[in-house]
Amino acid sequence: MPEPPAPEVDLSRTYDAVVIGSGAAGGMASHVLTAHGLKVLLLEAGKKLPIEKELRSMEWPYDNAYRGGLPPHSHSINFNEYTIRKPPFGPGFEKSKHLYSYIGNSDYVKNIVVDERENPYTGTNYAWVRARCLGGKTNIWGRLALRLSDYDFKAKDRDGFGENWPISYADLAPYYDKVDLYLGITGVKENLPYLPDSLFQRPTKLNCAELTLKSGIQKMGRVLTQYRAGVTSDGLKHNKYRSRCYGRGACSRKGGCDIHAAFDSPTGLIYPALDTGNLTLRTNSVAREITVDPKTGKASGVHFIDTETRADYHVKARVVIVAASTLESARLLLLSKSRQHPNGIGNSSNHVGHNFCEHMMGPGIYGRAKDLAGKPPTLDDGRPGGFYLTRFRNLQEKHGKFIRGYGFEGGSGCSMFPAGTDAKGFGADFKEEVRKNQGAYIGMGAFGEVLARYENYVDLDPTVKDKWGIPALRFHYKFGENEYKMAEDMKETAQEMFDAAGFETVHVSSRVLTEGWSIHELGTARMGDDPKKSVLNQFEQSHDVKNLFVVDGSAFVNASCQNPTWSIMALCWRSCDYLADELRKGNL
Ligand SMILES: Cc1cc2nc3c(=O)[nH]c(=O)nc-3n(C[C@H](O)[C@H](O)[C@H](O)COP(=O)(O)OP(=O)(O)OC[C@H]3O[C@@H](n4cnc5c(N)ncnc54)[C@H](O)[C@@H]3O)c2cc1C
Ligand code: SF4
């Protein structure tokens, strides 16, 4: 379906709302506010890419000049390089014309992720993955779509650490339902209090090794369920831009779904919002400062730079909605200094950039279901995901060594490129060995909660600037003792569960990947009831500036261990309903 035309921006008018960033959060804000009849301007720093030409999910590897890899003179930073080098990345990589984060290691995503040299950052080691284009990271996200529960919202009540959220699951549940129905999600009901069910469409199927693991761990009281994918498997009658999932198999390739069965913000949210006639979209527009009315101290609009011409513009708005992704949003708030807000807008608490949290990754296991070796191949590529093994730590009993929990994402089965079959040798015998055994392998990796601590934070670098002259972000962020103890436990439990399933272990590890690897950064402008200890209220509205909202992962109070995107969108929907109501009442 052709994309709707986007009207030109009119800088002489005052928009009802300006939304900064077009990913999951900015897309959702655009959808909800335009549905309320507000006139919205959406500013996106990146380009609008011809996304189907980028993703090419039906292209065979042998039709690609680089077999899907990066072209010559391009490089994506790997784990060892993140470990031994320090940001800003560039020195040491002089031979590479283009330099990407670790995710940018394929021909299909090289234009979606940023060039690290144009977008530097400094400070402690961090693998920061950014996608600067219409739709942001939703073009390539992994689609695991999970809900949070009161085990997360009220975690402090359980272990005394950090803060509770100012909301409960009951406040957000109706909005999770709206997101499920509007965007589509696959999965199976499990009735778990700590991982609430969604309104699921047709689920994917577990394969033989996955079912073996599921029944193997049942006796331990642990739950393995089908991947809860932010994918429409039954189709969405109200959305003409998205197809249902045909299980074509390209999901295992990094890069998105070019029939848009998997949710992405442009086809899921922004094109339908453009169809209302209430949305104006301007791409190539980097917001560099939220401006303030000197009389009232309220937000008055946004300064932005055209990335192609470098011209600097100002747009006026009644409400400013920041949705540039957790770290970019913090950067923009800190950049927006004025007489009324000398530490950055909305930062009277000095909490902007702090309490930064995410998920820790690395520990995992790889093994073999011996009795599946030599069985005929099965079609396992044709699924948007494998399985999710839900949290089991610190739910009923307290673990003696760490607080909070973790889950595992995993999968098994045959694929176009059988990976890690641990077969040795070369030539025809090697190929035969790989073919024979590929369906028997199964692996899973853990995602654990990183505690939200004030001392983990980002601020502005005093000297380093990006390509457009905007001060870069500086990281002061490290995993702590709780995370490393949890990593040890992840390894032990992975091993005990594979043993219970009768799998032969090929490799098991507690090695923790570089900070940032999960791409689930959260918490830099947390919500709360106390303006001294939080930046936003429960509607993601600034305590200091009532017509300023921050609607992305910045608002999270803790990271939980569930992937955040579905919660970002449910929270954003709730906040934008409130915003529209307040604006109508003249309260903003
Ligand atoms: C490979 C990969 C796998 C992932 N897997 C999962 C998963 O399985 N489950 C899950 O829940 N999450 C997953 N994520 C994370 C998920 O993509 C993010 O949580 C989600 O996209 C966050 O939405 P956002 O709107 O906050 O940020 P983004 O999607 O990053 O969008 C932010 C947008 O703001 C724009 N922007 C930034 N700064 C400015 C500025 N100054 N002015 C104007 N625009 C600006 C950016 O260009 C970008 O388009 C994954 C991410 C990646 C990359
Ligand atoms: S398996 Fe489904 S969601 Fe994944 S790329 Fe294919 S059609 Fe898209």
Side-chain angles (χ1 to χ4, degrees):
M1 179 54 68
E3 297 141 24
E8 282 289 302
V9 60
D10 177 359
L11 296 177
S12 65
R13 68 182 283 187
T14 300
Y15 286 89
D16 289 329
V18 59
V19 176
I20 300 162
S22 69
M28 183 54 81
S30 304
H31 159 60
V32 177
L33 296 177
T34 55
H36 277 288
L38 302 188
K39 296 291 180 194
V40 178
L41 172 66
L42 173 57
L43 293 176
E44 164 52 49
K47 291 191 181 77
K48 179 177 180 311
L49 292 168
I51 199 72
E52 286 81 10
K53 292 199 180 121
E54 297 293 332
L55 301 176
R56 289 165 280 153
S57 68
M58 294 302 279
E59 182 178 84
W60 288 101
Y62 47 75
D63 285 331
N64 184 293
Y66 320 107
R67 300 290 186 269
L70 278 175
H73 311 301
S74 294
H75 181 72
S76 95
I77 306 168
N78 60 40
F79 171 66
N80 286 340
E81 290 163 344
Y82 278 116
T83 312
I84 57 175
R85 300 199 187 279
K86 285 242 170 276
F89 296 112
F93 297 101
E94 284 77 11
K95 285 191 185 146
S96 309
K97 198 164 151 225
H98 295 290
L99 187 62
Y100 305 108
S101 66
Y102 82 93
I103 278 292
N105 63 355
S106 104
D107 193 39
Y108 306 105
V109 299
K110 67 179 191 304
N111 295 321
I112 294 173
V113 296
V114 300
D115 190 309
E116 296 290 310
R117 286 199 187 85
E118 292 181 358
N119 297 276
Y121 55 96
T122 65
T124 48
N125 282 1
Y126 196 82
W128 190 12
V129 174
R130 289 153 291 171
R132 275 208 167 184
C133 58
L134 185 69
K137 298 194 287 281
T138 66
N139 290 296
I140 51 170
W141 73 307
R143 305 132 200 187
L144 185 59
L146 303 174
R147 293 187 178 201
L148 304 187
S149 76
D150 282 334
Y151 285 77
D152 309 302
F153 295 126
K154 305 297 172 199
K156 183 184 180 186
D157 289 347
R158 305 176 61 78
D159 57 32
F161 182 84
E163 296 295 331
N164 284 331
W165 295 55
I167 56 167
S168 303
Y169 179 67
D171 297 310
L172 203 55
Y175 289 92
Y176 275 127
D177 288 356
K178 283 173 192 270
V179 175
D180 292 345
L181 293 174
Y182 196 66
L183 300 178
I185 177 170
T186 74
V188 172
K189 279 192 190 297
E190 300 283 359
N191 297 313
L192 304 171
Y194 55 89
L195 184 69
D197 294 319
S198 277
L199 303 175
F200 294 121
Q201 297 190 357
R202 175 177 51 84
T204 53
K205 286 203 172 87
L206 295 174
N207 60 33
C208 202
E210 292 165 352
L211 284 167
T212 308
L213 180 59
K214 182 182 171 80
S215 57
I217 63 171
Q218 243 157 14
K219 47 187 178 285
M220 306 166 87
R222 297 183 189 169
V223 179
L224 180 152
T225 191
Q226 271 94 330
Y227 203 78
R228 296 184 171 179
V231 165
T232 171
S233 49
D234 295 333
L236 296 164
K237 288 208 174 68
H238 55 267
N239 188 313
K240 61 187 183 205
Y241 302 105
R242 297 181 59 195
S243 160
R244 74 176 174 84
C245 172
Y246 284 94
R248 301 160 312 148
C251 269
S252 59
R253 181 200 278 174
K254 250 189 247 104
C257 173
D258 52 11
I259 58 168
H260 311 290
F263 159 73
D264 57 65
S265 168
T267 59
L269 297 165
I270 295 171
Y271 298 166
L274 283 168
D275 284 332
T276 64
N278 291 331
L279 181 67
T280 304
L281 166 65
R282 196 180 198 283
T283 50
N284 299 324
S285 305
V286 188
R288 65 166 182 81
E289 185 186 346
I290 298 158
T291 53
V292 169
D293 181 331
K295 288 194 209 98
T296 61
K298 288 201 314 188
S300 58
V302 179
H303 272 306
F304 65 92
I305 299 173
D306 186 302
T307 53
E308 306 275 285
T309 64
R310 296 196 180 219
D312 200 316
Y313 298 100
H314 183 255
V315 63
K316 298 185 284 299
R318 295 166 71 199
V319 183
V320 173
I321 296 152
V322 184
S325 75
T326 296
L327 292 166
E328 289 288 9
S329 292
R331 182 179 174 203
L332 184 58
L333 297 178
L334 294 170
L335 283 166
S336 304
K337 293 191 172 108
S338 58
R339 188 174 50 78
Q340 291 91 339
H341 307 288
N343 295 337
I345 195 162
N347 194 19
S348 66
S349 64
N350 277 323
H351 274 258
V352 170
H354 290 261
N355 313 304
F356 169 26
C357 52
E358 57 159 345
H359 298 147
M360 178 256 293
M361 276 179 77
I365 190 163
Y366 205 72
R368 202 165 82 104
K370 274 183 287 182
D371 40 348
L372 289 178
K375 293 275 177 331
T378 46
L379 174 60
D380 299 301
D381 265 342
R383 304 182 294 174
F387 64 81
Y388 185 66
L389 201 159
T390 70
R391 174 179 171 182
F392 48 86
R393 284 297 190 225
N394 293 315
L395 294 173
Q396 308 314 331
E397 303 105 52
K398 284 195 172 151
H399 194 277
K401 294 193 176 150
F402 61 90
I403 57 168
R404 309 294 162 96
Y406 57 88
F408 287 92
E409 292 181 33
S412 163
C414 303
S415 66
M416 195 191 294
F417 292 109
T421 57
D422 84 325
K424 309 268 180 316
F426 54 89
D429 291 347
F430 171 73
K431 287 187 193 162
E432 185 47 32
E433 192 61 18
V434 171
R435 268 194 209 104
K436 205 171 79 188
N437 287 301
Q438 59 160 330
Y441 284 83
I442 178 162
M444 62 185 192
F447 284 70
E449 173 165 351
V450 176
L451 297 180
R453 292 181 280 132
Y454 184 81
E455 59 272 25
N456 268 340
Y457 71 103
V458 286
D459 63 4
L460 298 176
D461 190 280
T463 50
V464 177
K465 296 191 166 71
D466 70 11
K467 187 180 169 189
W468 299 275
I470 304 173
L473 210 54
R474 181 170 61 175
F475 286 74
H476 309 262
Y477 180 82
K478 284 259 168 261
F479 293 148
E481 212 187 320
N482 199 66
E483 286 85 54
Y484 286 109
K485 287 192 175 148
M486 189 187 274
E488 285 305 319
D489 191 59
M490 289 165 164
K491 178 185 169 186
E492 282 164 27
T493 61
Q495 178 73 71
E496 78 190 10
M497 290 190 282
F498 267 39
D499 289 348
F503 297 151
E504 188 181 87
T505 297
V506 176
H507 179 70
V508 61
S509 165
S510 62
R511 184 185 72 162
V512 172
L513 289 165
T514 314
E515 284 84 349
W517 210 272
S518 68
I519 327 179
H520 293 164
E521 57 273 6
L522 300 160
T524 53
R526 73 177 178 194
M527 54 163 80
D529 290 327
D530 182 352
K532 291 204 178 65
K533 292 200 286 188
S534 58
V535 178
L536 308 171
N537 69 14
Q538 59 158 309
F539 296 107
E540 304 182 301
Q541 178 183 30
S542 161
H543 287 303
D544 302 343
V545 182
K546 62 183 177 183
N547 67 340
L548 175 70
F549 290 73
V550 185
V551 296
D552 54 28
S554 314
F556 279 44
V557 179
N558 53 35
S560 85
C561 65
Q562 285 95 278
N563 307 39
T565 307
W566 230 242
S567 303
I568 291 174
M569 291 195 286
L571 286 162
C572 175
W573 197 320
R574 180 172 183 267
S575 301
C576 289
D577 271 359
Y578 166 84
L579 184 166
D581 199 36
E582 288 291 285
L583 198 61
R584 208 174 293 124
K585 290 180 188 153
N587 291 343
L588 301 180

